Amino acid sequence: MQIYKVGGAVRDRLLGKPVTDIDWVVVGATTEEMLAQGFRPVGADFPVFLHPKTGEEYALARTERKSGRGYGGFTFHASPEVTLEQDLIRRDLTINAMAEDDGQNLTDPYNGQRDLEDRILRHVSPAFAEDPLRVLRVARFAARYAALGFTVAPETLELMRTLSESGELEALTAERNWKEISRALMEEQPQVFIQVLRDCGALKVLMPEVDALFGVPQPEAHHPEIDSGVHTLSVLEQSALHRQPLTVRWACLLHDLGKGLTPQEEWPRHIAHEHKGLKLIKAVNERFKAPKECQELALLVGQYHTHGHRALELKATTLLELLQSFDVYRRPQRFEEFIAACEMDARGRKGLEQRSYPQADYLRGAANVARSVAVQPLLEKGFKGPELGEALKRERLKALKAYKEAAAS
Ligand code: CTP
């Protein structure tokens, strides 16, 4: 048997990037031979094994044929006769379809190295279409390597468009989609992920609520970029530049969905878009089964981001309601993430990226003031149950009024 390093490990070494996990392909071996050498099988009918010591993945060279719709619809053919070239041709991109032996000799039948040098994400063969998830994968690689100058080859974008229009994307599971989406949002330029999905018509299928933002104008005085879709991409870009966590990036992507529902006669204003957008945010959250903390933050940011921007003008009662809605007493981190998302929203406006955002410190300060109201003196006065809650609220309101006055003077 011959063993080769394949896929991302070869690509990233040639790019001079750190290699995190290594995939191997084994040519000329049978399942029995692998088991005899101590490899552990990954699944019952999947020709993939884990190395007994390193735990790395070793797959028998295989060909794949699509036998039905969606991810389940595959038949595999793995046998010692399958060649390295046959295994590589079924892979997604030319830059992912190179193999290397232990002497670092490259097998590159589909010119991956040339595409790597030319900064092109190009599909290997029509077999690309056998896994529609690859539409998202290509967009994710585009987001990761945009800074290096990579773009999607026109013929690959065309194939992605055909796949998007064919209804194949609907067959993907929420889990596989979320895995790609969440990884893509954590890439260096997540806005490129959304842009590429839009360019090939996949955004309309996967997140029509986000797609609908493009072409919707906002008032130029607040939003020099005007277009709501362009704004959303910039907010996402800022979230990556400021190294925000996934929760914040997800909230940034979804914060303005309500603007896509504004009747055209009301443009460029978007009255109550925060509230109108909530059902859309909920729908996207559920479609991809996003983790609870992502879902929660997206909804809160959707509902309250304008409050964040207007923090300094909010009445003390409104400020208190905001803090209560976030439960800043028990969930300080979540409020920090809300503040971050609001700041990214403010910075995601053309020409205003560097403008300071004093609302952030003001909101932080307000949360601290509300948190520092002590319960003990109220208990000592004999308050309990709902009355204690009311008394606490009154004290917090008093403290916030003083905070607001001090900030204004
Ligand atoms: N692959 C593919 N189609 C997929 C998934 C994977 O063709 N839908 C192939 C590619 O050759 C890829 C390899 O399997 O390089 C390993 O896949 P994976 O580990 O998911 O990705 P990597 O390319 O290693 O990239 P990453 O850095 O994102 O892990």
Side-chain angles (χ1 to χ4, degrees), residues 218-393:
Q218 308 163 97
E220 193 174 356
H222 292 299
H223 283 284
E225 73 286 351
I226 301 177
D227 190 281
S228 308
V230 171
H231 166 60
T232 294
L233 294 184
S234 304
V235 178
L236 203 50
E237 180 180 5
Q238 288 298 319
S239 76
L241 284 171
H242 290 267
R243 304 194 177 283
Q244 298 296 345
L246 179 63
T247 42
V248 174
R249 296 185 191 203
W250 182 241
C252 285
L253 176 63
L254 305 186
H255 78 285
D256 261 351
L257 292 189
K259 288 182 177 170
L261 293 176
T262 310
Q264 215 158 320
E265 356 16 304
E266 290 178 21
W267 286 358
R269 298 185 63 204
H270 298 280
I271 303 150
H273 75 275
E274 303 85 350
H275 182 73
K276 288 186 203 157
L278 293 180
K279 61 176 189 288
L280 302 187
I281 298 175
K282 190 160 178 279
V284 181
N285 270 338
E286 287 171 4
R287 186 174 315 137
F288 299 111
K289 296 188 185 156
K292 190 163 161 278
E293 60 277 18
C294 286
Q295 297 210 12
E296 215 176 68
L297 188 71
L299 285 165
L300 285 165
V301 170
Q303 187 168 0
Y304 293 113
H305 60 274
T306 311
H307 275 54
H309 302 325
R310 297 188 49 247
L312 283 91
E313 297 123 63
L314 295 181
K315 288 186 295 190
T317 44
T318 316
L319 199 51
L320 180 62
E321 279 165 27
L322 180 72
L323 300 174
Q324 304 278 97
S325 306
F326 276 86
D327 191 7
V328 294
Y329 318 102
R330 278 178 298 187
R331 306 282 302 270
Q333 181 60 25
R334 185 172 65 177
F335 193 59
E336 271 304 319
E337 292 181 354
F338 164 73
I339 295 172
C342 290
E343 183 170 344
M344 299 306 107
D345 184 22
R347 292 187 186 279
R349 297 179 298 163
K350 195 165 168 232
L352 304 176
E353 295 84 354
Q354 307 301 332
R355 190 186 266 191
S356 66
Y357 193 69
Q359 290 93 326
D361 276 342
Y362 184 77
L363 286 168
R364 259 176 222 126
N368 285 337
V369 163
R371 272 195 287 261
S372 57
V373 169
V375 193
Q376 197 55 36
L378 299 173
L379 287 171
E380 281 163 16
K381 279 188 194 159
F383 287 109
K384 24 179 200 290
E387 280 187 354
L388 177 65
E390 283 310 309
L392 251 179
K393 241 183 183 172

Side-chain angles (χ1 to χ4, degrees), residues 23 29 52 62 79 90 119 121 138 204 233 239 246 292 321 336 374 392 400:
D23 292 309
R62 63 180 190 256
S79 87
R90 67 166 175 87
R119 307 306 203 215
L121 302 169
V138 174
K204 206 162 36 198
L233 294 184
S239 76
L246 179 63
K292 190 163 161 278
E321 279 165 27
E336 271 304 319
L392 251 179
L400 283 173

Side-chain angles (χ1 to χ4, degrees), residues 7-8 11 23 91-92 96 131 134 137 140 144 183:
R11 176 198 69 219
D23 292 309
R91 291 174 183 266
D92 53 2
N96 289 340
D131 181 7
R134 288 169 171 171
R137 277 177 63 90
R140 171 164 67 80
R144 184 189 296 176
R183 288 187 73 186

Side-chain angles (χ1 to χ4, degrees), residues 142-156:
R144 184 189 296 176
Y145 297 131
L148 296 178
F150 276 86
T151 55
V152 182
E155 66 271 26
T156 301

